[in-house]
Amino acid sequence: MKKMTKQTISVSGMTCAACANTIEKNLKKELGVKSVQASFATDSVYVEFDENIFPVEKIERSIQGLGYVIGEGKKNTKKDQILSDEMVLILSLFSSLLMMFISMGPISIPHKEYILLVMSAPIVFGAGRGFFSRAIKQAKNLSTNMDTLVALGAFTAFFYSLLLTVFPTYFQEVNNGYYYEASAMIISLILVGKYLEKRAKTKTSNAIQKLLQLNPSTTTVILNGEEVEMAIEDIQKGYRIQIRPGEKIPVDGRVVRGESTIDESMLTGEPVPVYKERGEVLFAGTLNQEGAFMMIADKVGKDTFLSSIIEMVKNAQGSKAPIQKLADRISSVFVPTVISLATLAFVIWFFIMGESFAFALSTFVTTLIISCPCALGLATPTAVSVGIGLGAENGILFKDAESLQKLREVDSIVFDKTGTLTKGVPVVKSIDWESNIKSDDISTLLDVIFSIEKQSEHPYGKAIVSFLEGKSNELILDQFKVVVGKGVKAEYKGDYYLIGNKRLFEEYRISYANYDSASIFIAKNDHIIGTVSVEDEIRQESKVLVSELKSLDKAQWMLTGDSRQNAEIIANKIGLDQIVAEVLPQEKLSFIEKLQEQKKVVAMVGDGLNDAPSLAQADVGISLSSGTDIAIETASISMMHGDISKLPYAFRISEESMSTVKQNLFFAFLYNSIAIPIAMGLLYLPIGYIISPMIGALAMSLSSISVVSNSLRFKYKLKQN
């Protein structure tokens, strides 16, 4: 199978959800592009593609061909653009207000239509040129978006006024006034709205900015025995770096000399500084506190842990929640429908109701302008972006929008025991021998056990090795074999040894009925000669976690390959009622499937390689960042620093995010359902009210801003609590 490249590309110029749909539609046609997700809210396009067939340069050219600008790596340019937008905005708004005074003020100005023509043209075709150029490019691709509505509305108002100005006699019968000031004010108000919307959207995704700011720009590298100030981009693997008190760690690496405490809170959410000494791992972006030390760079650039988190958050914020599919489907037909309704309003008022041409034209323009696909397009992605960003700030990594939406639906949580509810570092309490074992033989037996477990990767094996380290000698075994999920088998000088759980002894038909089932069994030549007592320390936060999840009405199970007796001891200590013990990895998977067959929405929380199948099968897989790489990769949510105490907060973020999405969608649908009929003139016959194009432009801008503001509101609400 070919390896696909995944990349998030920054794109500016998208003005509504229809723009994102257009980009997706065009890129999906290309051979070599597997999947595309364009996000209007985050100004980004996530693409999964085959670099050999359709490289990123072609993807960027394709997007540019649609009228959008590739924004990656152009931060300064973007900043300058914002300042330029402000200047254009002020000039346009001031000129538009002056035009309204000239047009409607008490002072009669001769030939004012020519003054208004000269003043409005730069605003409509200068400040508003972006709307026209994008609308034309959309038309060339047989697509429409918000630019189409704005360009059509402003141009119609301006062109109608131009005809009255140039051919006043010919249009004498339909001359009910000029719309120069209206066309200019439409552009000005929408520019104001887009500017405020851009500022608000930036706040919804400032989690990435915070993460980017964690990296220092320079650091002190030791080259040829001298300290050299060096840019972060120039650091290579193997460089030795001097870190002083108060400095940030520039890349991933290890301490090689000295010691200190490191604040990893911005990366992991864990407030307590972590003590680091020689050999301990360091992460880029974390803050050195008191001590000075030297480190060696192991991972630089995009390979650092911080970079991988930033990429993960970018991809997640640009992904789409299932609930957004409805908004996307509506957005794709929204603009053509609005143009049809605006035309219908013009035809009815002018040809059927006999109103003036100016009146019918006004309803046409207002219907185009007031309709807002922006609010519809922003409803879901802004709330999703805020939710994922809030999670990242608190050490909860949602890998995509679907996991953010799905988590709130979870009613059943299955925990792995070892490494999840416990610390996963078993400790041997004692090794007990059968009464018929001579004391002179014990030393040799301990050497054999030590040698066998030296070759095992199982946590219990490592615990036994740790217990015997320094007390026993390593021997050369004749044979060694791992029996997956059960234990180990080995041969030494003609004797066969078995060390493992009771499943291993059931397989070899060795009775263990007279022994404590909580122990590891040791057998020599099919006879049990001893047992090992092991305990695993419970995580401090497990008891509170179980209690909080119960208060959220979540059913909970603990699954473990450990003995039932050990499982019950752990479960009783943390208040968990339901346990399934002595299960193999495939049986964990079967248990998840059975819950799903009962129509339960299941979250699996685990950290080990053996949990990967269950994490993949569960509706929501939750891994601990301290777990194996495969478990982290498989899960859809990752809890940083192995901290499961924040799981209830993750549920709350999911709940609030989806609640905000529904509020936003309801508002967007309600706004358009009310605004469009009124713009078409619904209230004119009963009460004589009609909306002007300028009021329509103002209402459209405010609707978008209100949706973004509502998404930001839930962010501050959760932060305050």
Side-chain angles (χ1 to χ4, degrees):
M1 182 183 290
K2 290 183 179 177
K3 186 176 180 180
M4 306 300 282
T5 302
K6 301 174 183 177
Q7 188 165 335
T8 300
I9 301 171
S10 297
V11 176
S12 58
M14 285 191 275
T15 54
C16 64
C19 297
N21 290 339
T22 300
I23 293 174
E24 287 184 359
K25 187 178 171 184
N26 279 274
L27 285 182
K28 283 178 180 174
K29 293 177 186 173
E30 302 294 347
L31 185 65
V33 175
K34 183 180 178 184
S35 65
V36 186
Q37 289 193 2
S39 173
F40 165 47
T42 57
D43 290 326
S44 64
V45 179
Y46 171 78
V47 195
E48 192 174 358
F49 58 101
D50 188 331
E51 184 75 41
N52 296 320
I53 299 176
F54 201 68
V56 68
E57 293 77 14
K58 285 190 175 181
I59 293 173
E60 292 182 349
R61 281 200 296 273
S62 178
I63 294 171
Q64 288 170 330
L66 296 171
Y68 306 104
V69 178
I70 302 300
E72 191 172 8
K74 296 179 180 177
K75 293 177 186 175
N76 293 334
T77 304
K78 198 168 183 179
K79 186 177 178 182
D80 295 341
Q81 186 63 40
I82 290 173
L83 293 175
S84 176
D85 286 347
E86 288 175 340
M87 294 177 65
V88 170
L89 207 61
I90 293 169
L91 289 173
S92 299
L93 205 54
F94 177 77
S95 299
S96 299
L97 290 171
L98 186 59
M99 288 172 64
M100 289 186 69
F101 179 78
I102 294 172
S103 176
M104 305 174 190
I107 303 172
S108 177
I109 301 175
H111 305 296
K112 64 181 179 183
E113 63 271 25
Y114 293 102
I115 298 173
L116 294 173
L117 169 62
V118 172
M119 292 181 71
S120 62
I123 298 174
V124 175
F125 301 107
R129 67 184 183 284
F131 296 111
F132 289 97
S133 63
R134 289 189 293 268
I136 291 169
K137 287 183 179 179
Q138 290 288 325
K140 286 180 180 175
N141 288 286
L142 302 178
S143 301
T144 55
N145 62 2
M146 193 206 83
D147 298 314
T148 308
L149 298 179
V150 175
L152 261 179
F155 180 77
T156 303
F158 181 89
F159 188 66
Y160 166 72
S161 305
L162 183 65
L163 290 176
L164 293 181
T165 305
V166 178
F167 307 106
T169 307
Y170 186 77
F171 287 97
Q172 189 173 8
E173 291 184 1
V174 295
N175 188 351
N176 295 96
Y178 301 95
Y179 279 105
Y180 288 123
E181 77 282 2
S183 61
M185 187 56 84
I186 286 168
I187 296 293
S188 299
L189 287 175
I190 291 176
L191 285 176
V192 171
K194 300 305 291 181
Y195 177 74
L196 295 176
E197 179 186 298
K198 182 189 287 186
R199 290 180 66 92
K201 277 166 60 180
T202 302
K203 291 182 181 177
T204 66
S205 57
N206 60 8
I208 288 181
Q209 293 302 319
K210 286 185 178 178
L211 289 171
L212 288 171
Q213 289 167 6
L214 290 176
N215 259 338
S217 56
T218 61
T219 191
T220 305
V221 176
I222 309 298
L223 290 179
N224 300 321
E226 296 184 0
E227 293 188 357
V228 178
E229 189 79 3
M230 183 177 288
I232 299 299
E233 297 77 24
D234 297 331
I235 296 177
Q236 297 180 19
K237 286 173 64 176
Y239 276 16
R240 288 178 178 264
I241 303 166
Q242 182 65 44
I243 306 294
R244 298 185 177 86
E247 289 184 345
K248 288 183 176 177
I249 310 300
V251 295
D252 289 358
R254 289 165 287 129
V255 178
V256 292
R257 190 172 67 201
E259 59 186 359
S260 184
T261 52
I262 307 295
D263 180 358
E264 298 182 339
S265 60
M266 282 301 291
L267 194 62
T268 65
E270 172 59 49
V272 180
V274 183
Y275 174 74
K276 302 276 183 176
E277 58 183 358
R278 181 184 174 88
E280 300 256 21
V281 177
L282 300 163
F283 297 104
T286 54
L287 179 65
N288 178 33
Q289 292 202 315
E290 299 167 348
F293 60 89
M294 184 181 292
M295 66 175 287
I296 189 167
D298 288 332
K299 293 180 180 178
V300 300
K302 292 184 177 180
D303 295 329
T304 65
F305 187 52
L306 177 62
S307 296
S308 67
I309 290 176
I310 291 172
E311 192 62 26
M312 200 181 296
V313 174
K314 275 185 181 177
N315 293 341
Q317 289 190 325
S319 64
K320 291 186 177 181
I323 196 173
Q324 194 172 336
K325 291 177 182 175
L326 173 64
D328 284 349
R329 282 199 296 270
I330 293 174
S331 295
S332 64
V333 298
F334 187 83
V335 175
T337 303
V338 168
I339 294 173
S340 302
L341 290 173
T343 306
L344 180 65
F346 178 86
V347 169
I348 290 175
W349 287 114
F350 186 65
F351 292 105
I352 300 176
M353 303 302 294
E355 290 292 335
S356 68
F357 184 84
F359 181 91
L361 186 69
S362 174
T363 59
F364 175 78
V365 173
T366 306
T367 304
L368 290 178
I369 298 300
I370 205 168
S371 307
C372 185
C374 305
L376 204 58
L378 288 168
T380 302
T382 51
V384 166
S385 181
V386 167
I388 289 173
L390 200 56
E393 290 177 25
N394 287 277
I396 305 163
L397 283 186
F398 293 94
K399 293 186 180 175
D400 54 38
E402 184 173 358
S403 60
L404 180 68
Q405 177 177 340
K406 201 71 180 176
L407 185 62
R408 68 185 291 272
E409 301 168 12
V410 166
D411 53 25
S412 303
I413 304 171
V414 177
F415 290 101
D416 167 54
K417 178 180 76 70
T418 306
T420 304
L421 294 173
T422 67
K423 290 184 176 178
V425 184
V427 178
V428 173
K429 293 172 64 180
S430 64
I431 297 178
D432 303 306
W433 301 103
E434 276 291 273
S435 57
N436 60 348
I437 301 298
K438 297 177 182 176
S439 57
D440 294 343
D441 296 335
I442 290 179
S443 176
T444 303
L445 287 171
L446 288 175
D447 288 345
V448 173
I449 294 168
F450 178 72
S451 305
I452 292 172
E453 295 297 356
K454 265 281 207 184
Q455 300 188 44
S456 171
E457 291 297 322
H458 194 278
Y460 279 6
K462 291 181 178 177
I464 292 172
V465 169
S466 178
F467 183 74
L468 296 178
E469 193 83 57
K471 305 174 189 171
S472 304
N473 300 310
E474 186 170 1
L475 308 172
I476 299 175
L477 302 175
D478 299 321
Q479 286 186 21
F480 174 82
K481 179 184 177 184
V482 174
V483 185
V484 179
K486 299 174 183 176
V488 292
K489 177 185 178 184
E491 181 182 353
Y492 177 68
K493 290 188 175 179
D495 293 321
Y496 287 91
Y497 293 86
L498 294 171
I499 305 175
N501 58 29
K502 67 180 185 181
R503 283 176 175 269
L504 180 69
F505 287 75
E506 286 171 353
E507 183 175 320
Y508 284 87
R509 299 182 178 178
I510 301 174
S511 174
Y512 53 84
N514 297 328
Y515 302 90
D516 181 2
S517 61
S519 301
I520 297 172
F521 305 105
I522 305 168
K524 178 182 177 182
N525 298 329
D526 296 337
H527 295 287
I528 293 180
I529 59 173
T531 58
V532 183
S533 296
V534 179
E535 67 176 14
D536 188 1
E537 192 176 347
I538 297 172
R539 285 180 185 268
Q540 191 176 1
E541 63 271 25
S542 293
K543 187 173 183 179
V544 176
L545 171 69
V546 170
S547 174
E548 289 186 7
L549 290 176
K550 278 184 179 177
S551 69
L552 295 176
D553 202 25
K554 309 291 182 188
Q556 301 171 68
W557 286 264
M558 181 174 73
L559 259 62
T560 178
D562 203 352
S563 69
R564 184 163 190 85
Q565 182 172 339
N566 272 351
E568 286 178 345
I569 292 171
I570 300 293
N572 289 334
K573 287 183 179 177
I574 62 176
L576 200 56
D577 303 322
Q578 304 179 90
I579 60 172
V580 181
E582 302 168 11
V583 290
L584 296 172
Q586 58 268 34
E587 291 171 326
K588 289 184 178 180
L589 177 64
S590 300
F591 184 78
I592 301 284
E593 289 173 336
K594 282 181 183 175
L595 290 179
Q596 290 173 325
E597 287 170 4
Q598 297 168 21
K599 306 299 180 188
K600 295 184 183 298
V601 183
V602 185
M604 171 73 194
V605 188
D607 71 324
L609 179 65
N610 62 339
D611 296 323
S614 303
L615 289 169
Q617 175 62 37
D619 297 284
V620 179
I622 302 171
S623 70
L624 310 184
S625 63
S626 54
T628 62
D629 290 343
I630 291 180
I632 295 170
E633 184 69 25
T634 306
S636 50
I637 299 173
S638 186
M639 311 298 287
M640 302 303 297
H641 209 62
D643 187 357
I644 56 172
S645 68
K646 293 189 174 163
L647 187 54
Y649 191 63
F651 274 102
R652 191 162 176 211
I653 291 176
S654 173
E655 186 68 41
E656 291 289 345
S657 297
M658 291 306 114
S659 174
T660 305
V661 166
K662 289 179 180 177
Q663 291 168 14
N664 287 347
L665 284 174
F666 174 77
F667 174 79
F669 285 126
L670 182 67
Y671 165 80
N672 283 297
S673 301
I674 295 174
I676 292 176
I678 294 176
M680 292 175 69
L682 184 68
L683 299 180
Y684 183 69
L685 288 180
I687 63 174
Y689 178 74
I690 189 78
I691 300 178
S692 74
M694 287 178 286
I695 299 297
L698 182 64
M700 192 275 264
S701 298
L702 290 176
S703 68
S704 298
I705 295 168
S706 62
V707 163
V708 180
S709 300
N710 190 44
S711 297
L712 290 171
R713 179 195 57 80
F714 107 77
K715 175 181 180 179
Y716 295 119
K717 177 184 171 186
L718 279 187
K719 275 191 170 182
Q720 286 175 354
N721 295 327

